[in-house]
Amino acid sequence: QSYYEAKRWFEKASKQGHPVAILTLGGFHLEGLGGCSIDLPKARQYAEKAMYLESRVADSCHELLVRIAIRADSTEAKSILMPLAEEGVAIAQNSLGVTMLEEENGAFDRCNAKALFVAAALQGVEA
């Protein structure tokens, strides 16, 4: 019941533009908490909205988007991870490398995956 009550307050705060509340609602939709159904597109919308509203929560937004990508199919995962990887977000670079290796469409993907792993490793993320 506390998740339901928390959701109600986060919804009020999100309507006032509070990025942490918006990000938290994304997590609720990712995990199916507080009466929310698991809804990856909605979780992604919340995370992206919060990311644009407040750079202070950008790292948490990146983490939530990567967690959404991990649960999505590979096409959706790539659409989430590529822009983040291009921005230099290490966890996205690593996750995109993993996605490319899992699909493995030849030497091109292996080469790109390796480059992503190296970029992430230079920022301290282990493959």
Side-chain angles (χ1 to χ4, degrees):
Q1 185 177 358
S2 61
Y3 283 116
Y4 292 93
E5 183 69 14
K7 179 185 165 214
R8 190 172 69 87
W9 287 106
F10 285 124
E11 285 173 335
K12 285 184 178 189
S14 73
K15 287 178 184 172
Q16 296 175 13
H18 293 283
V20 174
I22 295 166
L23 178 63
T24 302
L25 287 173
F28 274 46
H29 284 281
L30 175 65
E31 302 295 341
L33 300 173
C36 295
S37 60
I38 293 176
D39 186 338
L40 299 183
K42 189 173 269 190
R44 180 180 180 180
Q45 285 176 332
Y46 278 115
E48 289 174 342
K49 181 176 181 182
M51 186 169 49
Y52 289 111
L53 287 175
E54 183 69 53
S55 62
R56 287 184 306 158
V57 296
D59 287 343
S60 296
C61 294
H62 294 155
E63 183 181 330
L64 180 59
L65 285 168
V66 169
R67 289 173 51 210
I68 293 165
I70 289 168
R71 295 187 187 182
D73 64 53
S74 66
T75 301
E76 180 70 10
K78 284 182 179 179
S79 78
I80 294 169
L81 295 171
M82 279 190 186
L84 295 173
E86 289 170 359
E87 288 178 29
V89 177
I91 58 172
Q93 291 168 331
N94 189 67
S95 294
L96 183 57
V98 170
T99 300
M100 292 175 118
L101 283 180
E102 287 174 349
E103 286 188 335
E104 195 171 329
N105 293 322
F108 178 77
D109 277 355
R110 285 193 303 276
C111 182
N112 283 334
K114 182 178 179 181
L116 289 163
F117 290 142
V118 169
L122 289 172
Q123 296 180 68
V125 174
E126 294 183 23

